[in-house]
Amino acid sequence: MGTRRIVKIAAAITLLAGLTALVACGSETGLAKLPDATFAQLECYDANGDHVLNDADAADPAKLPDFDNNGKHDAADAAFFNGIDIPLNAQTQNEACTHANKDWGPEYFVAHSSKPATVDCNASGPQPVLLYGAGGGVSNLSKRDAAGVRSMLDGLQKAYAKRNVQTIAVVSGESIIAGQQPQVAMETWSTHAVQTYLDRYPCLRLLLLGHSHGGVTVNHIAALLEPQYAARIIEVVDVDRVDVLYVGDTTSWPQQVHLFNIYETNDDKLKGAPHDAANTENWDASGEKGPKNGDQGGSLEPVDHTTIDNSASVKQRIIDDVIQRSG
Ligand SMILES: [Ca+2]
Ligand SMILES: [Ca+2]
Ligand SMILES: [Ca+2]
């Protein structure tokens, strides 16, 4: 191969890389691509080592994640720790934070591009939206965990971007693994985090979406926050919510805000169910199809509990519903 040919190929590769980068920039969401997000393994921010997450751990914000990706670790980041009280299991915390257990990693992230994950309430245009998604069966969000929830939020974020709506997207698992009560710990953290955003940005509206155990998490968040913030909650979307083996608040449901309860009955092990309440719209999505191997793809087959969150048609119906309700 001649030198000129090599140079030509190298130039073509450079051009391709440039194009790929351009395409990546076209998606202003950090959801589609790992690792464009501020990931946090929450139990490892126990700065004073007392096996409790609370205000004391936020005394030095330099030790906290840059949640809003503005390049500073300051009071705006510390606010997510101020006011919480989450007791941890010392042994599990040690195992998680020394990475003795390789399956455990971040259970929370704030998506962002190269820009800060913030919104501007003084900008003209429609009201910004916080997209909060909770996955089920999550132990490490820096791998492919919660791929379905991530993809659904990505679709929502793109649909909003087309309509000139600013968004912040946050994804969590259903639990903080080292919490004394792992699922209760995430209920506490996520409710407080969402409230922190709503208080920081008076213009911000909220969309909650949860799959599987994540449906229980978002129902808890909605139930706790709707007395004060109902007018700002667009809706809650449960995707095949199940509470089997969930040790936490399985009895709270939103009472005021609209609940879009999507479920399937094809799965003989785990499946959602209709929920009877005036504020609830039930959709039996058993007739929809999803990739056989979930986020790993495969041929289209009727959805089950682990593939309903990867179904393109379910995702599209959620996007249509949320956009229509956003007014
Ligand atoms: Ca502490
Ligand atoms: Ca920051
Ligand atoms: Ca899935």
Side-chain angles (χ1 to χ4, degrees):
M1 196 184 287
T3 310
R4 272 180 64 187
R5 189 167 156 75
I6 290 172
V7 169
K8 260 190 184 169
I9 289 170
I13 289 169
T14 309
L15 181 65
L16 259 179
L19 282 174
T20 311
L22 269 178
V23 170
C25 287
S27 132
E28 37 75 66
T29 157
L31 286 158
K33 205 159 62 85
L34 294 165
D36 279 355
T38 297
F39 290 93
Q41 194 171 0
L42 298 168
E43 55 265 287
C44 307
Y45 291 95
D46 172 23
N48 65 353
D50 65 351
H51 313 300
V52 180
L53 290 179
N54 63 17
D55 295 42
D57 300 309
D60 179 5
K63 293 182 175 149
L64 302 177
D66 179 15
F67 287 116
D68 55 5
N69 190 45
N70 67 347
K72 290 181 265 188
H73 298 254
D74 60 17
D77 304 303
F80 293 100
F81 285 81
N82 289 325
I84 56 167
D85 181 13
I86 300 175
L88 303 171
N89 176 305
Q91 193 184 329
T92 317
Q93 183 189 21
N94 182 55
E95 212 179 316
C97 303
T98 58
H99 306 288
N101 188 325
K102 303 244 180 295
D103 292 333
W104 295 344
E107 62 279 274
Y108 182 85
F109 75 74
V110 180
H112 52 69
S113 58
S114 54
K115 287 182 256 167
T118 55
V119 298
D120 180 3
C121 282
N122 295 316
S124 58
Q127 277 182 275
V129 177
L130 172 63
L131 301 162
Y132 189 97
V138 168
S139 62
N140 187 344
L141 286 177
S142 68
K143 298 200 174 147
R144 288 299 297 167
D145 283 6
V149 165
R150 191 191 292 259
S151 165
M152 284 169 168
L153 289 201
D154 182 56
L156 285 166
Q157 199 167 38
K158 285 178 176 140
Y160 274 129
K162 266 193 210 161
R163 289 159 181 81
N164 205 24
V165 178
Q166 309 172 67
T167 54
I168 297 173
V170 177
V171 174
S172 79
E174 69 192 56
S175 65
I176 297 175
I177 196 75
Q180 278 186 13
Q181 299 177 86
Q183 285 143 347
V184 172
M186 185 53 87
E187 290 169 1
T188 304
W189 171 270
S190 58
T191 303
H192 179 266
V194 169
Q195 184 169 14
T196 301
Y197 280 113
L198 292 174
D199 291 345
R200 178 173 301 172
Y201 302 112
C203 63
L204 193 63
R205 298 202 289 168
L206 173 65
L207 184 279
L208 294 163
L209 182 151
H211 170 232
S212 189
H213 278 180
V216 187
T217 313
V218 296
N219 284 5
H220 174 88
I221 299 171
L224 272 276
L225 296 184
E226 67 177 0
Q228 195 181 342
Y229 303 94
R232 295 167 63 186
I233 302 176
I234 295 163
E235 70 171 324
V236 181
V237 182
D238 282 3
V239 181
D240 226 27
R241 174 198 180 278
V242 294
D243 58 19
V244 183
L245 297 175
Y246 185 101
V247 185
D249 178 10
T250 57
T251 57
S252 287
W253 294 77
Q255 304 288 320
Q256 303 175 49
V257 301
H258 187 262
L259 172 64
F260 189 18
N261 181 50
I262 304 168
Y263 64 96
E264 56 74 39
T265 58
N266 298 327
D267 201 311
D268 48 14
K269 290 187 281 291
L270 289 170
K271 59 185 140 208
H275 177 68
D276 186 18
N279 63 331
T280 300
E281 174 189 352
N282 289 297
W283 177 33
D284 180 351
S286 302
E288 301 303 309
K289 290 186 172 163
K292 183 179 164 206
N293 305 312
D295 52 278
Q296 305 298 322
S299 53
L300 291 182
E301 292 194 355
V303 293
D304 63 21
H305 183 69
T306 58
T307 65
I308 188 170
D309 60 319
N310 307 104
S311 163
S313 61
V314 171
K315 171 176 160 178
Q316 190 56 50
R317 176 141 174 201
I318 291 171
I319 294 169
D320 293 345
D321 192 71
V322 170
I323 294 298
Q324 184 247 316
R325 284 179 189 284
S326 300

Short mmCIF file of all heavy atoms in Angstrom, two decimals, residues 207-208 219 234-241 253-264 272-285 308 314 316-326:
data_model
loop_
_atom_site.label_atom_id
_atom_site.label_comp_id
_atom_site.label_asym_id
_atom_site.label_seq_id
_atom_site.Cartn_x
_atom_site.Cartn_y
_atom_site.Cartn_z
N LEU A 207 -41.97 14.90 35.10
CA LEU A 207 -42.50 13.66 34.54
C LEU A 207 -41.79 12.50 35.23
O LEU A 207 -40.56 12.45 35.26
CB LEU A 207 -42.23 13.64 33.03
CG LEU A 207 -42.77 12.49 32.15
CD1 LEU A 207 -41.91 11.24 32.20
CD2 LEU A 207 -44.23 12.14 32.45
N LEU A 208 -42.56 11.59 35.81
CA LEU A 208 -41.99 10.43 36.50
C LEU A 208 -42.29 9.17 35.70
O LEU A 208 -43.44 8.97 35.27
CB LEU A 208 -42.60 10.30 37.90
CG LEU A 208 -42.27 11.43 38.89
CD1 LEU A 208 -43.23 11.40 40.08
CD2 LEU A 208 -40.83 11.29 39.40
N ASN A 219 -44.07 5.94 42.16
CA ASN A 219 -45.36 6.15 42.83
C ASN A 219 -45.14 6.79 44.21
O ASN A 219 -45.90 7.66 44.64
CB ASN A 219 -46.11 4.83 43.01
CG ASN A 219 -46.73 4.34 41.71
OD1 ASN A 219 -46.54 4.94 40.65
ND2 ASN A 219 -47.47 3.26 41.79
N ILE A 234 -46.66 16.51 35.36
CA ILE A 234 -47.33 16.23 34.09
C ILE A 234 -48.07 14.91 34.19
O ILE A 234 -49.26 14.82 33.91
CB ILE A 234 -46.32 16.22 32.92
CG1 ILE A 234 -45.73 17.63 32.75
CG2 ILE A 234 -46.99 15.75 31.63
CD1 ILE A 234 -44.46 17.68 31.95
N GLU A 235 -47.38 13.87 34.56
CA GLU A 235 -48.00 12.58 34.86
C GLU A 235 -46.97 11.62 35.40
O GLU A 235 -45.76 11.89 35.40
CB GLU A 235 -48.74 11.98 33.66
CG GLU A 235 -47.88 11.48 32.53
CD GLU A 235 -48.69 10.70 31.48
OE1 GLU A 235 -49.63 9.97 31.83
OE2 GLU A 235 -48.34 10.82 30.28
N VAL A 236 -47.47 10.48 35.87
CA VAL A 236 -46.63 9.39 36.34
C VAL A 236 -46.87 8.22 35.40
O VAL A 236 -48.03 7.88 35.13
CB VAL A 236 -46.99 8.99 37.79
CG1 VAL A 236 -46.07 7.86 38.28
CG2 VAL A 236 -46.93 10.19 38.72
N VAL A 237 -45.80 7.62 34.90
CA VAL A 237 -45.94 6.47 34.01
C VAL A 237 -45.34 5.24 34.69
O VAL A 237 -44.14 5.20 34.97
CB VAL A 237 -45.23 6.72 32.65
CG1 VAL A 237 -45.43 5.52 31.73
CG2 VAL A 237 -45.71 8.01 32.00
N ASP A 238 -46.20 4.28 34.99
CA ASP A 238 -45.73 3.00 35.52
C ASP A 238 -45.65 2.01 34.36
O ASP A 238 -46.63 1.84 33.65
CB ASP A 238 -46.72 2.44 36.55
CG ASP A 238 -46.62 3.13 37.91
OD1 ASP A 238 -45.83 4.08 38.05
OD2 ASP A 238 -47.37 2.70 38.82
N VAL A 239 -44.50 1.37 34.19
CA VAL A 239 -44.35 0.37 33.14
C VAL A 239 -44.18 -0.99 33.82
O VAL A 239 -43.14 -1.30 34.38
CB VAL A 239 -43.14 0.69 32.23
CG1 VAL A 239 -43.01 -0.36 31.12
CG2 VAL A 239 -43.27 2.09 31.63
N ASP A 240 -45.27 -1.77 33.79
CA ASP A 240 -45.30 -3.09 34.42
C ASP A 240 -44.78 -3.05 35.86
O ASP A 240 -43.87 -3.80 36.25
CB ASP A 240 -44.51 -4.12 33.58
CG ASP A 240 -45.28 -5.43 33.42
OD1 ASP A 240 -46.53 -5.41 33.47
OD2 ASP A 240 -44.64 -6.48 33.24
N ARG A 241 -45.39 -2.16 36.64
CA ARG A 241 -45.03 -2.04 38.06
C ARG A 241 -45.30 -3.36 38.78
O ARG A 241 -46.39 -3.92 38.66
CB ARG A 241 -45.88 -0.94 38.71
CG ARG A 241 -45.71 -0.82 40.23
CD ARG A 241 -46.89 -0.04 40.81
NE ARG A 241 -46.81 0.12 42.26
CZ ARG A 241 -47.17 -0.79 43.16
NH1 ARG A 241 -47.65 -1.96 42.77
NH2 ARG A 241 -47.07 -0.54 44.45
N TRP A 253 -49.75 5.42 46.20
CA TRP A 253 -50.01 5.67 44.78
C TRP A 253 -50.35 7.14 44.66
O TRP A 253 -50.91 7.72 45.58
CB TRP A 253 -51.21 4.84 44.28
CG TRP A 253 -51.00 3.37 44.29
CD1 TRP A 253 -51.03 2.55 45.37
CD2 TRP A 253 -50.73 2.55 43.15
NE1 TRP A 253 -50.80 1.25 44.97
CE2 TRP A 253 -50.63 1.22 43.62
CE3 TRP A 253 -50.59 2.80 41.78
CZ2 TRP A 253 -50.37 0.14 42.76
CZ3 TRP A 253 -50.34 1.72 40.93
CH2 TRP A 253 -50.22 0.41 41.43
N PRO A 254 -50.05 7.74 43.50
CA PRO A 254 -50.53 9.12 43.33
C PRO A 254 -52.05 9.15 43.39
O PRO A 254 -52.70 8.27 42.83
CB PRO A 254 -49.99 9.51 41.95
CG PRO A 254 -49.55 8.26 41.29
CD PRO A 254 -49.29 7.24 42.35
N GLN A 255 -52.58 10.13 44.09
CA GLN A 255 -54.03 10.24 44.25
C GLN A 255 -54.61 11.34 43.39
O GLN A 255 -55.80 11.33 43.07
CB GLN A 255 -54.37 10.57 45.72
CG GLN A 255 -53.83 9.61 46.73
CD GLN A 255 -54.55 8.28 46.71
OE1 GLN A 255 -55.77 8.23 46.57
NE2 GLN A 255 -53.81 7.20 46.83
N GLN A 256 -53.79 12.33 43.07
CA GLN A 256 -54.28 13.50 42.33
C GLN A 256 -53.80 13.52 40.89
O GLN A 256 -54.56 13.76 39.98
CB GLN A 256 -53.80 14.79 42.99
CG GLN A 256 -54.17 14.98 44.44
CD GLN A 256 -53.51 16.24 44.99
OE1 GLN A 256 -53.58 17.32 44.39
NE2 GLN A 256 -52.86 16.13 46.13
N VAL A 257 -52.51 13.34 40.71
CA VAL A 257 -51.95 13.51 39.37
C VAL A 257 -52.25 12.29 38.50
O VAL A 257 -52.51 11.20 39.00
CB VAL A 257 -50.42 13.77 39.42
CG1 VAL A 257 -50.12 15.01 40.24
CG2 VAL A 257 -49.67 12.56 39.95
N HIS A 258 -52.23 12.51 37.20
CA HIS A 258 -52.58 11.44 36.27
C HIS A 258 -51.56 10.31 36.32
O HIS A 258 -50.36 10.54 36.25
CB HIS A 258 -52.66 11.99 34.84
CG HIS A 258 -53.18 10.99 33.86
ND1 HIS A 258 -52.37 10.25 33.05
CD2 HIS A 258 -54.46 10.60 33.57
CE1 HIS A 258 -53.11 9.45 32.29
NE2 HIS A 258 -54.38 9.63 32.59
N LEU A 259 -52.04 9.08 36.45
CA LEU A 259 -51.18 7.90 36.42
C LEU A 259 -51.49 7.10 35.16
O LEU A 259 -52.63 6.69 34.94
CB LEU A 259 -51.42 7.03 37.66
CG LEU A 259 -50.71 5.66 37.67
CD1 LEU A 259 -49.20 5.81 37.69
CD2 LEU A 259 -51.17 4.84 38.87
N PHE A 260 -50.49 6.91 34.32
CA PHE A 260 -50.62 6.06 33.13
C PHE A 260 -50.00 4.73 33.52
O PHE A 260 -48.79 4.59 33.61
CB PHE A 260 -49.88 6.71 31.95
CG PHE A 260 -50.11 6.06 30.62
CD1 PHE A 260 -51.19 5.21 30.40
CD2 PHE A 260 -49.25 6.31 29.55
CE1 PHE A 260 -51.40 4.61 29.16
CE2 PHE A 260 -49.45 5.71 28.31
CZ PHE A 260 -50.52 4.86 28.11
N ASN A 261 -50.86 3.77 33.80
CA ASN A 261 -50.43 2.47 34.31
C ASN A 261 -50.42 1.45 33.17
O ASN A 261 -51.46 0.96 32.75
CB ASN A 261 -51.36 2.02 35.43
CG ASN A 261 -50.97 0.67 36.02
OD1 ASN A 261 -49.80 0.46 36.37
ND2 ASN A 261 -51.92 -0.26 36.10
N ILE A 262 -49.22 1.15 32.69
CA ILE A 262 -49.04 0.24 31.56
C ILE A 262 -48.61 -1.12 32.11
O ILE A 262 -47.69 -1.20 32.91
CB ILE A 262 -47.96 0.78 30.60
CG1 ILE A 262 -48.33 2.19 30.13
CG2 ILE A 262 -47.78 -0.15 29.41
CD1 ILE A 262 -47.18 2.92 29.41
N TYR A 263 -49.29 -2.17 31.68
CA TYR A 263 -48.91 -3.49 32.20
C TYR A 263 -49.06 -4.54 31.11
O TYR A 263 -49.62 -4.28 30.05
CB TYR A 263 -49.77 -3.85 33.43
CG TYR A 263 -51.24 -4.01 33.13
CD1 TYR A 263 -51.78 -5.28 32.89
CD2 TYR A 263 -52.07 -2.90 33.04
CE1 TYR A 263 -53.13 -5.42 32.60
CE2 TYR A 263 -53.42 -3.05 32.75
CZ TYR A 263 -53.94 -4.31 32.52
OH TYR A 263 -55.27 -4.46 32.22
N GLU A 264 -48.53 -5.74 31.39
CA GLU A 264 -48.69 -6.87 30.47
C GLU A 264 -49.02 -8.10 31.30
O GLU A 264 -48.72 -8.14 32.50
CB GLU A 264 -47.43 -7.08 29.61
CG GLU A 264 -46.11 -7.28 30.39
CD GLU A 264 -45.98 -8.64 31.04
OE1 GLU A 264 -46.39 -9.64 30.41
OE2 GLU A 264 -45.45 -8.70 32.17
N GLY A 272 -47.37 -6.84 35.66
CA GLY A 272 -48.09 -5.76 36.29
C GLY A 272 -49.58 -6.08 36.40
O GLY A 272 -49.99 -7.21 36.15
N ALA A 273 -50.36 -5.10 36.77
CA ALA A 273 -51.79 -5.32 36.95
C ALA A 273 -52.51 -3.99 36.81
O ALA A 273 -51.91 -2.93 37.04
CB ALA A 273 -52.06 -5.91 38.33
N PRO A 274 -53.81 -4.04 36.43
CA PRO A 274 -54.55 -2.78 36.40
C PRO A 274 -54.68 -2.20 37.80
O PRO A 274 -54.63 -2.94 38.79
CB PRO A 274 -55.92 -3.18 35.82
CG PRO A 274 -56.00 -4.66 35.92
CD PRO A 274 -54.61 -5.19 36.01
N HIS A 275 -54.81 -0.90 37.88
CA HIS A 275 -54.97 -0.23 39.17
C HIS A 275 -56.25 0.58 39.10
O HIS A 275 -56.44 1.39 38.19
CB HIS A 275 -53.76 0.68 39.42
CG HIS A 275 -53.87 1.47 40.69
ND1 HIS A 275 -53.82 0.88 41.93
CD2 HIS A 275 -54.05 2.80 40.90
CE1 HIS A 275 -53.95 1.82 42.87
NE2 HIS A 275 -54.09 2.99 42.27
N ASP A 276 -57.13 0.34 40.04
CA ASP A 276 -58.45 0.96 40.00
C ASP A 276 -58.47 2.26 40.79
O ASP A 276 -58.47 2.25 42.02
CB ASP A 276 -59.47 -0.04 40.59
CG ASP A 276 -60.89 0.46 40.45
OD1 ASP A 276 -61.11 1.38 39.63
OD2 ASP A 276 -61.78 -0.03 41.18
N ALA A 277 -58.43 3.38 40.08
CA ALA A 277 -58.49 4.69 40.75
C ALA A 277 -58.91 5.73 39.72
O ALA A 277 -58.65 5.58 38.52
CB ALA A 277 -57.14 5.06 41.34
N ALA A 278 -59.56 6.77 40.20
CA ALA A 278 -60.14 7.79 39.32
C ALA A 278 -59.08 8.52 38.50
O ALA A 278 -59.34 8.93 37.37
CB ALA A 278 -60.93 8.79 40.15
N ASN A 279 -57.88 8.66 39.05
CA ASN A 279 -56.82 9.41 38.35
C ASN A 279 -55.98 8.50 37.44
O ASN A 279 -54.96 8.93 36.92
CB ASN A 279 -55.89 10.09 39.37
CG ASN A 279 -55.16 9.07 40.24
OD1 ASN A 279 -55.67 7.98 40.49
ND2 ASN A 279 -53.95 9.39 40.67
N THR A 280 -56.39 7.23 37.31
CA THR A 280 -55.53 6.26 36.63
C THR A 280 -56.10 5.82 35.29
O THR A 280 -57.29 5.51 35.18
CB THR A 280 -55.34 5.01 37.52
OG1 THR A 280 -54.72 5.43 38.74
CG2 THR A 280 -54.46 3.97 36.85
N GLU A 281 -55.22 5.81 34.28
CA GLU A 281 -55.55 5.25 32.98
C GLU A 281 -54.77 3.96 32.85
O GLU A 281 -53.54 3.97 32.91
CB GLU A 281 -55.14 6.25 31.89
CG GLU A 281 -55.30 5.73 30.48
CD GLU A 281 -54.66 6.69 29.45
OE1 GLU A 281 -54.24 7.81 29.83
OE2 GLU A 281 -54.60 6.29 28.28
N ASN A 282 -55.46 2.84 32.71
CA ASN A 282 -54.79 1.55 32.57
C ASN A 282 -54.65 1.20 31.10
O ASN A 282 -55.56 1.43 30.30
CB ASN A 282 -55.62 0.46 33.26
CG ASN A 282 -55.57 0.57 34.77
OD1 ASN A 282 -54.51 0.45 35.38
ND2 ASN A 282 -56.71 0.84 35.39
N TRP A 283 -53.53 0.64 30.73
CA TRP A 283 -53.34 0.12 29.38
C TRP A 283 -52.73 -1.26 29.46
O TRP A 283 -51.59 -1.42 29.91
CB TRP A 283 -52.44 1.06 28.55
CG TRP A 283 -52.16 0.53 27.16
CD1 TRP A 283 -53.02 -0.21 26.37
CD2 TRP A 283 -50.94 0.66 26.40
NE1 TRP A 283 -52.41 -0.52 25.17
CE2 TRP A 283 -51.14 0.00 25.16
CE3 TRP A 283 -49.72 1.28 26.65
CZ2 TRP A 283 -50.16 -0.07 24.18
CZ3 TRP A 283 -48.73 1.22 25.67
CH2 TRP A 283 -48.95 0.56 24.44
N ASP A 284 -53.50 -2.26 29.02
CA ASP A 284 -52.97 -3.61 28.91
C ASP A 284 -52.19 -3.70 27.61
O ASP A 284 -52.78 -3.74 26.52
CB ASP A 284 -54.12 -4.63 28.92
CG ASP A 284 -53.62 -6.06 28.82
OD1 ASP A 284 -52.40 -6.25 28.57
OD2 ASP A 284 -54.44 -7.00 28.98
N ALA A 285 -50.87 -3.70 27.72
CA ALA A 285 -50.00 -3.67 26.54
C ALA A 285 -49.56 -5.07 26.12
O ALA A 285 -48.57 -5.22 25.38
CB ALA A 285 -48.78 -2.79 26.82
N ILE A 308 -40.87 -5.34 27.97
CA ILE A 308 -41.86 -4.28 27.74
C ILE A 308 -41.18 -2.90 27.74
O ILE A 308 -41.58 -2.00 27.01
CB ILE A 308 -43.02 -4.35 28.77
CG1 ILE A 308 -44.13 -3.36 28.40
CG2 ILE A 308 -42.52 -4.10 30.20
CD1 ILE A 308 -45.41 -3.53 29.21
N VAL A 314 -44.41 0.64 22.72
CA VAL A 314 -44.77 1.11 24.07
C VAL A 314 -44.12 2.47 24.32
O VAL A 314 -44.75 3.42 24.80
CB VAL A 314 -44.37 0.07 25.14
CG1 VAL A 314 -44.54 0.64 26.55
CG2 VAL A 314 -45.19 -1.20 24.98
N GLN A 316 -43.20 4.66 22.09
CA GLN A 316 -43.83 5.70 21.28
C GLN A 316 -45.15 6.15 21.89
O GLN A 316 -45.47 7.34 21.91
CB GLN A 316 -44.05 5.22 19.83
CG GLN A 316 -44.47 6.33 18.87
CD GLN A 316 -43.48 7.50 18.85
OE1 GLN A 316 -42.28 7.28 18.69
NE2 GLN A 316 -43.95 8.73 19.05
N ARG A 317 -45.92 5.20 22.42
CA ARG A 317 -47.20 5.59 23.02
C ARG A 317 -46.98 6.46 24.27
O ARG A 317 -47.73 7.40 24.53
CB ARG A 317 -48.04 4.35 23.37
CG ARG A 317 -49.31 4.72 24.06
CD ARG A 317 -50.53 3.94 23.68
NE ARG A 317 -51.64 4.34 24.56
CZ ARG A 317 -52.71 3.62 24.78
NH1 ARG A 317 -52.85 2.45 24.17
NH2 ARG A 317 -53.66 4.05 25.60
N ILE A 318 -45.94 6.15 25.02
CA ILE A 318 -45.61 6.97 26.20
C ILE A 318 -45.24 8.39 25.74
O ILE A 318 -45.74 9.38 26.30
CB ILE A 318 -44.45 6.34 27.01
CG1 ILE A 318 -44.93 5.04 27.67
CG2 ILE A 318 -43.92 7.32 28.06
CD1 ILE A 318 -43.82 4.22 28.32
N ILE A 319 -44.40 8.47 24.71
CA ILE A 319 -43.98 9.79 24.22
C ILE A 319 -45.22 10.58 23.76
O ILE A 319 -45.39 11.75 24.15
CB ILE A 319 -42.96 9.65 23.06
CG1 ILE A 319 -41.66 9.04 23.59
CG2 ILE A 319 -42.70 11.00 22.40
CD1 ILE A 319 -40.66 8.62 22.51
N ASP A 320 -46.09 9.94 22.97
CA ASP A 320 -47.29 10.63 22.47
C ASP A 320 -48.15 11.12 23.64
O ASP A 320 -48.65 12.25 23.63
CB ASP A 320 -48.13 9.70 21.58
CG ASP A 320 -47.38 9.35 20.28
OD1 ASP A 320 -46.40 10.04 19.96
OD2 ASP A 320 -47.79 8.38 19.62
N ASP A 321 -48.31 10.28 24.64
CA ASP A 321 -49.16 10.61 25.78
C ASP A 321 -48.57 11.78 26.59
O ASP A 321 -49.28 12.73 26.93
CB ASP A 321 -49.32 9.37 26.68
CG ASP A 321 -50.40 9.56 27.71
OD1 ASP A 321 -51.59 9.57 27.33
OD2 ASP A 321 -50.06 9.74 28.90
N VAL A 322 -47.29 11.69 26.86
CA VAL A 322 -46.65 12.71 27.67
C VAL A 322 -46.65 14.06 26.94
O VAL A 322 -46.97 15.11 27.53
CB VAL A 322 -45.20 12.31 28.04
CG1 VAL A 322 -44.44 13.47 28.68
CG2 VAL A 322 -45.20 11.10 28.97
N ILE A 323 -46.33 14.04 25.65
CA ILE A 323 -46.29 15.30 24.88
C ILE A 323 -47.69 15.91 24.82
O ILE A 323 -47.86 17.12 25.01
CB ILE A 323 -45.71 15.04 23.46
CG1 ILE A 323 -44.24 14.63 23.55
CG2 ILE A 323 -45.91 16.27 22.58
CD1 ILE A 323 -43.30 15.66 24.16
N GLN A 324 -48.69 15.08 24.61
CA GLN A 324 -50.07 15.58 24.55
C GLN A 324 -50.48 16.20 25.89
O GLN A 324 -51.09 17.27 25.93
CB GLN A 324 -50.99 14.42 24.16
CG GLN A 324 -52.45 14.80 23.96
CD GLN A 324 -53.31 14.17 25.04
OE1 GLN A 324 -53.15 12.98 25.36
NE2 GLN A 324 -54.24 14.95 25.60
N ARG A 325 -50.08 15.57 26.97
CA ARG A 325 -50.43 16.10 28.31
C ARG A 325 -49.61 17.31 28.71
O ARG A 325 -49.94 18.00 29.67
CB ARG A 325 -50.24 15.01 29.37
CG ARG A 325 -51.34 14.01 29.32
CD ARG A 325 -51.23 12.90 30.31
NE ARG A 325 -52.25 11.93 29.99
CZ ARG A 325 -53.53 12.10 30.28
NH1 ARG A 325 -53.94 13.15 30.96
NH2 ARG A 325 -54.43 11.21 29.90
N SER A 326 -48.50 17.51 28.00
CA SER A 326 -47.64 18.66 28.32
C SER A 326 -48.24 19.96 27.83
O SER A 326 -47.77 21.04 28.19
CB SER A 326 -46.25 18.44 27.72
OG SER A 326 -45.67 17.28 28.25
#
